[in-house]
Amino acid sequence: MKLVLALASLAAFAGSAAAKAVFAHVIVGVAQSYTVAQWESDIALAQAADIDAFVLNITPPWSGSATETQVANAFKAAESTGFKLFFSFDYKGNGQAWSASDIITVLQTYASNDYHYKHNSLPLVSTFEGTDADNINDWSTIKSQVSSDIFLVPDWTSLGTTEFATHLDIVDGAFSWDMWPEGPNNMTNASDVAWTNAIGSDKAYMMGVSPWFYTDLPGYNKAWVWRGDSMWHERWQQAIDLQPEFVEIVTWNDYGESHYIGPIWSDGIPQGDNINAHTYVDGMPHDAWRDLLPYYISQYKTGSADVTTEKLQYWYRLTPGAAGTTEATGNNCKSDINIYGYQTCYDPNEIAEDGVFVTALLSSPATVTIKIGDNDATSFEATAAGANHFSRPFNGQTGKVVISIVRDSATVLSGTGEAILEKPTSGVTNYNAWVGGVSA
């Protein structure tokens, strides 16, 4: 049974309204073998989660490329489903910056499309970086060449808030890519507050929300762990409190960085010379992370959300971190592609907690239990209706994980997750999360 909210979804009106909106970041390069039908399938899942639009991350070149073909497929699917799309021009994805002329071509083709997301009647446009002076200065020309003008909310996070604020005459808002905590700490909204203060109340802020980050792709010079743990729930609470104009989920399908919330598309998992994300993505679904999105999104947009169907959402790694070997570092502290400055190196096992993380969506107070293997269950008292979050450490326990909601001494909902093992069968620790869920 699907989660039902008393307040109807606003997704159908997202194309022209100035109301708050939630987007999911989609790496088009991952979808190079997509058909229109596959785009339609992903869109249907996003609509069921009350996501308002896909942000299409695209890299150059454009003309005659597979990217051009897939963007056309995506817009065909958007038309058939009534969904919305807009672009994030990625200046770092393949080491090649976008030219102003190519961006103008893309926007002249799609910005006026009925299924391009618009804010205050202007096509919303974003970037991933693009902070060289020439690239920043291109946007005045780009805006003048797009007949409808655009609403520009770039990710120029590497500039920092002070430098970004010197470009407020060019932009209509800011998107911060700073959404994972540094070191063995939980993520806070301190960076988001700094960005909103820097751009002022007359500019829109787009807040990034991400559930996880683990990558092990030596061929791309990437092997990093950031703390995820309870972040998916906690970051949504921060968005609900901060009330930014937009929220962007990072990501729908970046399998190589383990923060996907969409279905696993095997063709899109990075593989090649010294690159094989299949080792940590295969068998590690994240779909259940979408299950509570209608609840979180309704709270973010309207301040309330009723619960008529109870749910459990749970995630964890399948072995203790120290039980295997790894080449990954805690934080990105060695790579020459760290665009935000070098961070302190940590042992990844200082970063990632060996724990089971549970969010229970409840219609009334209850007890939530977490049981690992044949060991005694650990109980938590959820004293209010809504989303209640808990976690407990492995404490050396192994076996299947059983999560239950108990009320008046009776189990009203229970879900069983994959077994926690004593050590990884490959000998290498997988810091990706296994995610499960169940509803009444």
Side-chain angles (χ1 to χ4, degrees), residues 25-30 57-61 67 88-98 127-131 135 155 177 217 219-222 254 257 270 275 337 339-340:
H25 195 89
V26 176
I27 310 297
V28 174
V30 165
N57 174 288
I58 57 175
T59 57
T67 297
S88 172
F89 292 95
D90 189 334
Y91 287 74
K92 294 287 185 179
N94 65 1
Q96 180 181 351
W98 277 93
T127 74
F128 179 72
E129 287 299 306
T131 55
N135 300 143
D155 158 38
W177 203 257
L217 300 173
Y220 291 151
N221 197 22
K222 295 169 62 173
D254 194 337
E257 294 185 353
I275 297 167
I337 62 172
I339 59 178
Y340 307 130

Side-chain angles (χ1 to χ4, degrees), residues 19 37 68 106 170 211 236 242 279 281 304 380 418:
E68 184 182 24
V106 174
I170 299 173
W236 274 107
L242 189 64
T279 60
V281 173
S304 65
F380 302 89
E418 287 292 301

Side-chain angles (χ1 to χ4, degrees), residues 87 89 103-112 125 142 146 150:
F87 297 103
F89 292 95
I103 292 178
I104 290 167
T105 297
V106 174
L107 294 179
Q108 285 179 338
T109 304
Y110 288 105
S112 61
V125 176
I142 293 166
V146 179
I150 61 174

Side-chain angles (χ1 to χ4, degrees), residues 14-15 28 30 35 103 167 218 237 240 262 267 296 305 329 333 362 396 420 426 429 434 436:
V28 174
V30 165
T35 61
I103 292 178
H167 302 292
Q237 304 315 302
I240 290 163
D267 288 356
Y296 290 138
T329 60
C333 53
L362 303 174
I420 296 170
S426 68
T429 297
W434 185 92

Side-chain angles (χ1 to χ4, degrees), residues 30-183:
V30 165
Q32 295 297 282
S33 63
Y34 265 32
T35 61
V36 173
Q38 185 59 44
W39 279 109
E40 289 173 339
S41 177
D42 276 20
I43 285 171
L45 294 174
Q47 289 174 314
D50 284 355
I51 292 169
D52 295 298
F54 277 163
V55 189
L56 301 181
N57 174 288
I58 57 175
T59 57
W62 174 252
S63 181
S65 68
T67 297
E68 184 182 24
T69 299
Q70 285 303 329
V71 167
N73 286 344
F75 272 89
K76 288 177 184 176
E79 181 178 4
S80 69
T81 56
F83 198 55
K84 305 296 178 181
L85 310 168
F86 68 96
F87 297 103
S88 172
F89 292 95
D90 189 334
Y91 287 74
K92 294 287 185 179
N94 65 1
Q96 180 181 351
W98 277 93
S99 67
S101 60
D102 277 352
I103 292 178
I104 290 167
T105 297
V106 174
L107 294 179
Q108 285 179 338
T109 304
Y110 288 105
S112 61
N113 189 292
D114 289 342
Y115 299 96
H116 191 294
Y117 185 91
K118 297 176 179 65
H119 178 74
N120 291 336
S121 300
L122 295 178
L124 182 58
V125 176
S126 191
T127 74
F128 179 72
E129 287 299 306
T131 55
D132 289 350
D134 289 345
N135 300 143
I136 290 175
N137 293 331
D138 281 345
W139 285 99
S140 295
T141 301
I142 293 166
K143 284 189 167 191
S144 71
Q145 295 298 310
V146 179
S147 59
S148 59
D149 198 2
I150 61 174
F151 195 86
L152 179 62
V153 183
D155 158 38
W156 292 341
T157 311
S158 63
L159 290 179
T161 55
T162 301
E163 178 64 20
F164 186 96
T166 66
H167 302 292
L168 294 182
D169 58 323
I170 299 173
V171 304
D172 301 288
F175 173 39
S176 171
W177 203 257
D178 185 5
M179 62 192 90
W180 300 278
E182 183 174 353

Side-chain angles (χ1 to χ4, degrees), residues 237-251:
Q237 304 315 302
Q238 292 165 16
I240 290 163
D241 290 341
L242 189 64
Q243 290 290 293
E245 192 72 36
F246 311 115
V247 172
E248 184 168 330
I249 298 168
V250 177
T251 60

